[in-house]
């Protein structure tokens, strides 16, 4: 894993890179303190079992700070609307492939679970998704490659 946000990941234990690599995506995220708001959202959308399924997946995981940038009333409204929440969360997942940052950059676009495309670019070695830079890319889990990003993507 590389990127400026990787330093915030615990060095050992279940939430560390080594720990996350042993668990499927939803469990791995639940052990990472940077992703607790995402884990709450996944739970409210009942997507935890899916993301812990066989995969493989490529997941763009917004940080807690990314969710905190959304006005609180807007975030509460999204969390209360399961259909909208599911649409937003599935916009962060590519099913059927574990794509590295290099794979994504080479592809240029990928189609998400919600059917929409994401545009992928490279900013001097940093993976950029729809204009949002990754803060820690190429994080392995048992069933996915996770790229932690600095904003919530909106379909």
């Amino acid at each position: 894993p590389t990127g400026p946000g990787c330093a915030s990941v615990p060095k050992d234990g279940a939430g560390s890179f080594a720990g996350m690599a042993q668990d499927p995506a939803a469990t791995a995220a639940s052990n990472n303190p940077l992703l607790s708001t995402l884990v709450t959202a996944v739970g409210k959308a009942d997507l935890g079992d899916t993301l812990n399924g066989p995969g493989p997946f490529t997941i763009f995981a917004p940080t807690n700070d990314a969710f905190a940038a959304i006005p609180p009333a807007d975030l509460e409204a999204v969390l209360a609307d399961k259909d909208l929440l599911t649409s937003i969360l599935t916009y962060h997942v590519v099913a059927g492939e574990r794509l590295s940052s290099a794979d994504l950059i080479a592809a240029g676009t990928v189609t998400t679970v919600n059917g929409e495309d994401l545009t992928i670019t490279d900013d001097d070695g940093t993976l950029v998704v729809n204009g949002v830079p990754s803060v820690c890319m190429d994080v392995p889990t048992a069933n996915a490659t996770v790229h932690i990003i600095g904003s919530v993507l909106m379909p």
Side-chain angles (χ1 to χ4, degrees), residues 21-127:
Q22 304 302 310
D23 291 322
T27 300
S30 72
N31 292 324
N32 186 314
L34 296 177
L35 303 175
S36 59
T37 306
L38 174 62
V39 169
T40 297
V42 166
K44 287 188 178 290
D46 291 327
L47 293 173
D49 288 344
T50 300
L51 293 177
N52 274 343
F57 302 108
T58 303
I59 299 172
F60 304 99
T63 63
N64 293 339
D65 288 346
F67 282 99
I70 299 171
D74 294 349
L75 181 58
E76 285 177 33
V78 169
L79 290 173
D81 183 337
K82 187 174 176 181
D83 290 341
L84 177 59
L85 180 60
T86 299
S87 174
I88 292 169
L89 291 174
T90 57
Y91 189 57
H92 291 76
V93 179
V94 176
E97 298 181 277
R98 291 176 67 126
L99 299 168
S100 69
S101 57
D103 295 335
L104 290 163
I105 290 165
T109 60
V110 291
T111 302
T112 66
V113 171
N114 90 347
E116 302 272 337
D117 288 344
L118 296 173
T119 301
I120 310 294
T121 55
D122 174 15
D123 180 13
D124 198 26
T126 297
L127 175 72

Side-chain angles (χ1 to χ4, degrees), residues 123-134:
D123 180 13
D124 198 26
T126 297
L127 175 72
V128 179
V129 184
N130 280 13
V132 176
S134 62

